[in-house]
Amino acid sequence: QVQLRESGGGLVQAGGSLRLSCATSGRSFGNWPVAWFRQAPGKEQEFVAVISWSGGTTFYADFVKGRFTISRDNAKNTVHLQMNGLEPEDTAVYSCAADPEGNWKLASDYNYWGQGTQVTVSS
């Protein structure tokens, strides 16, 4: 059984930074890509970023605009999302996901999910 757990969310002012972490228990991430998605109130869940097992390949949503950086430490079974220049529009529940079946940017293709962590950006 794989369990993912996010941490690092919170309340921050516009322009501020947060670092989210996604840790796994039960087993390691293995060779899985790991992604971050987010869902704002009243909106559909959307892709944020994904990183390959080696960390050599990353993809970001266009709205990231160079503000976010995804990274991973396989020795610690942890994936991070460094978020800088946060805007009120970034307010959402951020969830990590692992082991995609095919499309790394498609939420429905992922087999394992965390519970999510709330990020709130005040103006």
Side-chain angles (χ1 to χ4, degrees):
Q1 183 72 18
V2 177
Q3 294 182 331
L4 306 182
R5 182 171 61 191
E6 302 91 342
S7 61
L11 173 63
V12 64
Q13 289 186 335
S17 299
L18 285 173
R19 187 189 193 210
L20 305 184
S21 297
C22 173
T24 180
S25 61
R27 60 155 288 175
S28 70
F29 282 125
N31 61 351
W32 297 340
V34 177
W36 287 93
F37 291 82
R38 72 183 189 183
Q39 187 166 22
K43 295 186 178 180
E44 294 187 354
Q45 190 175 46
E46 61 182 349
F47 167 77
V48 176
V50 63
I51 188 167
S52 64
W53 168 75
S54 69
T57 299
T58 58
F59 296 106
Y60 294 93
D62 289 342
F63 62 75
V64 169
K65 301 175 185 176
R67 299 178 298 135
F68 297 179
T69 302
I70 189 170
S71 62
R72 68 190 295 164
D73 184 341
N74 288 333
K76 297 182 179 180
N77 293 316
T78 304
V79 173
H80 301 289
L81 184 68
Q82 177 67 44
M83 304 187 296
N84 300 325
L86 285 164
E87 305 167 350
E89 294 74 22
D90 295 316
T91 295
V93 174
Y94 286 71
S95 300
C96 63
D99 189 25
E101 294 286 345
N103 188 335
W104 289 10
K105 298 180 182 180
L106 189 62
S108 60
D109 271 14
Y110 282 80
N111 289 315
Y112 301 105
W113 288 85
Q115 293 296 313
T117 185
Q118 176 70 46
V119 171
T120 303
V121 184
S122 63
S123 57

